[in-house]
Amino acid sequence: MNFGLLGFSAAIAFAAMGSAIGAGAAGMAAVGAWKKCFAQNRPAPFMLVAFVGAPLTQIIYGMILMNSIMAVAEPTMAHLGIGLFGGIAMGFSAAFQGKAGAAASDALAETGKGFVNYMMVLGLVETVALFVMVFLLGTI
């Protein structure tokens, strides 16, 4: 068995796990923030959905890395490492982006201000996953 082939599934799997954790964390915070708004008879900001969905983009980066590994004629153990560690790094980016999205959900629902600032923070956290993907694609 060629263990290098496991690299492509590791890339998407770990990126997806992080995205699920991140979206779940941000989603729980958004639901809680909406509940506070409803309890205070204030309008619930729909924009919180953007914070919940932000971690899902790392799945796309994992898929791009996966497809690049699959395109290699004979994957090696190095490709296993690329997929494994790249997927884990993208997953961590997604998980922490979700935590930042959770804090942003609470802040936006409470103040009604700062959406662009919060999205910039989420974008910076996402940049980690982009860098990982681009740099690893250069090694394939």
Side-chain angles (χ1 to χ4, degrees):
M1 177 176 175
N2 184 349
F3 286 104
L5 290 173
L6 294 174
F8 73 85
S9 41
I12 188 86
F14 284 107
M17 283 188 268
S19 290
I21 291 167
M28 288 183 273
V31 168
W34 285 326
K35 182 188 85 163
K36 284 183 197 175
C37 289
F38 294 140
Q40 297 169 359
N41 286 329
R42 291 187 300 124
F46 180 76
M47 298 300 288
L48 302 186
V49 172
F51 302 142
V52 177
L56 299 177
T57 56
Q58 277 82 336
I59 295 174
I60 297 168
Y61 307 146
M63 184 195 71
I64 292 168
L65 187 59
M66 174 191 74
N67 287 339
S68 296
I69 294 169
M70 287 175 58
V72 173
E74 189 64 34
T76 64
M77 289 299 282
H79 295 98
L80 170 60
I82 289 169
L84 181 65
F85 296 118
I88 290 171
M90 288 185 261
F92 269 101
S93 173
F96 281 96
Q97 188 178 45
K99 289 181 180 213
S105 291
D106 182 57
L108 183 65
E110 191 167 324
T111 66
K113 299 176 183 175
F115 178 76
V116 173
N117 298 49
Y118 306 143
M119 287 304 288
M120 285 190 294
V121 170
L122 297 184
L124 289 170
V125 177
E126 179 149 349
T127 302
V128 173
L130 278 168
F131 283 162
V132 167
M133 180 192 69
V134 168
F135 296 155
L136 288 176
L137 287 175
T139 65
I140 292 179

